[in-house]
């Protein structure tokens, strides 16, 4: 997978050189290309923002540098034979990121990320981009960050860990709870007793059917308490009558 990231702070993405993602890049599973929006400005101050039409506080990112940068991203994709990248714009106004969406993004050959700052990007940038690319405005949660960079790191990590060869144990990726639509239940490791606290007996029993049942029950109970709306979103028949009653 090829990932383009457009930002005024490309150095923000040094963490992508590390560990999980760093190895994936070394293996050629993932290729990340950083674009500095200021490289596509033409004034001495390399200006990327201006005051909002209609007034109001803060600044808006100017359309010209974005248009030129996204044209360059698209040209690079075309040169490498990819017809049109999917452009992801992290924004508080976006659709909430889910594991389903991360799985969908992981199937894309080419993703581009537009990191907004200030009060956002001139809307015409997205309108123009939609003429040439699929564009998705994505939120990672109901709070406001200073810019899209941290959200892009979150989305890239959620996607990259789904790529084959990135996470050592692929099984841990496929059966992890959000893949099943539930929250992950509690996990334990040695020692069996720690500060007087014991590991649930069933986990030491070696009875794999009972262990699987207990883990699913814990996941359902935790989901019912913390995220009941996830239970409601499960496909009909996902829970047995016994599990519904938990
Ligand atoms: C594109 O315009 C803007 C404007 C303001 C901030 C941001 C950064 O994204 C977030 O703050 C965010 C993403 N998901 N939850 C919060 C982008």
């Amino acid at each position: 997978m090829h990932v383009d990231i457009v930002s005024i702070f490309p150095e923000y993405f040094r963490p992508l050189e590390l560990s999980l993602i760093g190895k994936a890049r070394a293996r050629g599973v993932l290729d990340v290309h950083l674009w500095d929006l200021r490289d596509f400005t033409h004034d001495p101050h390399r200006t990327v923002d201006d005051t909002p039409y209609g007034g109001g506080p803060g600044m808006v990112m100017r359309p010209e540098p974005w248009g030129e940068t996204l044209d360059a991203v698209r040209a690079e994709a075309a040169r490498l034979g990819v017809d049109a990248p999917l452009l992801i714009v992290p924004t508080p106004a976006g659709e909430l990121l889910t594991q389903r969406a991360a799985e969908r993004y992981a199937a894309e050959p080419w993703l581009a990320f537009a990191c907004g700052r200030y009060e956002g990007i001139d809307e015409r940038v997205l309108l123009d981009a939609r003429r040439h690319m699929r564009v998705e405005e994505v939120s990672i949660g109901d709070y406001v960050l200073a810019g899209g960079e941290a959200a892009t790191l979150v989305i890239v990590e959620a996607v990259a860990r789904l790529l084959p060869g990135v996470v050592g144990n692929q099984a841990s990726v496929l059966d992890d709870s959000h893949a099943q639509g539930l929250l992950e239940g509690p996990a334990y490791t040695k020692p069996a007793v720690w500060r007087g606290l014991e590991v649930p007996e069933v986990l030491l029993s070696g009875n794999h059917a009972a262990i699987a049942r207990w883990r699913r029950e814990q996941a359902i109970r935790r989901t019912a308490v913390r995220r009941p709306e996830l239970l409601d979103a499960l496909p009909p028949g996902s829970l047995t009558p016994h599990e519904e009653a938990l």
Side-chain angles (χ1 to χ4, degrees):
M1 174 188 283
H2 184 99
V3 174
D4 283 306
I5 301 174
V6 180
S7 167
I8 58 171
F9 294 122
E11 68 278 6
Y12 201 100
F13 295 95
R14 287 283 170 275
L16 290 183
E17 316 279 344
L18 308 177
S19 75
L20 183 94
I21 311 289
K23 284 198 198 79
R25 293 176 71 178
R27 284 202 202 111
V29 172
L30 185 67
D31 178 29
V32 177
H33 182 178
L34 304 176
W35 301 75
D36 184 340
L37 190 67
R38 291 193 195 279
D39 289 347
F40 294 83
T41 59
H42 309 292
D43 64 300
H45 299 289
R46 311 180 81 198
T47 312
V48 293
D49 64 320
D50 204 334
T51 53
Y53 274 123
M59 302 289 272
V60 174
M61 299 191 97
R62 297 171 49 231
E64 300 96 327
W66 275 105
E68 289 183 33
T69 310
L70 293 177
D71 288 350
V73 166
R74 249 182 333 112
E76 173 73 2
R79 194 176 67 75
L80 295 173
V82 174
D83 62 344
L86 170 60
L87 179 67
I88 296 174
V89 186
T91 167
E95 285 190 34
L96 194 59
L97 179 71
T98 63
Q99 192 64 18
R100 294 296 84 75
E103 289 161 358
R104 182 161 56 83
Y105 298 151
E108 291 283 337
W110 189 300
L111 294 179
F113 289 85
C115 299
R117 282 258 148 190
Y118 311 105
E119 299 311 305
I121 303 171
D122 186 301
E123 190 66 16
R124 291 168 294 178
V125 171
L126 303 189
L127 294 174
D128 179 60
R130 285 197 171 91
R131 290 168 170 164
H132 317 286
M133 296 185 270
R134 289 164 295 147
V135 178
E136 295 193 18
E137 296 178 70
V138 178
S139 167
I140 62 166
D142 293 333
Y143 39 80
V144 182
L145 304 169
E149 286 77 9
T152 295
L153 279 174
V154 165
I155 300 167
V156 167
E157 181 161 327
V159 171
R161 68 182 286 276
L162 297 175
L163 300 177
V166 174
V167 171
N169 178 359
Q170 191 75 4
S172 71
V173 168
L174 297 180
D175 78 350
D176 88 354
S177 62
H178 269 284
Q180 318 294 326
L182 295 171
L183 300 185
E184 197 69 53
Y188 303 83
T189 186
K190 293 185 281 298
V193 183
W194 174 71
R195 295 187 177 183
L197 299 169
E198 297 177 359
V199 170
E201 199 58 42
V202 66
L203 297 180
L204 308 175
S205 70
N207 177 340
H208 296 293
I211 290 168
R213 207 168 32 252
W214 182 85
R215 282 178 168 160
R216 180 165 165 85
E217 211 166 278
Q218 290 296 311
I220 292 167
R221 284 181 196 276
R222 178 172 280 186
T223 307
V225 171
R226 298 181 185 174
R227 298 290 303 280
E229 78 280 6
L230 292 181
L231 288 186
D232 301 337
L234 288 174
S238 298
L239 303 181
T240 65
H242 165 68
E243 288 173 338
E244 292 275 2
L246 287 175

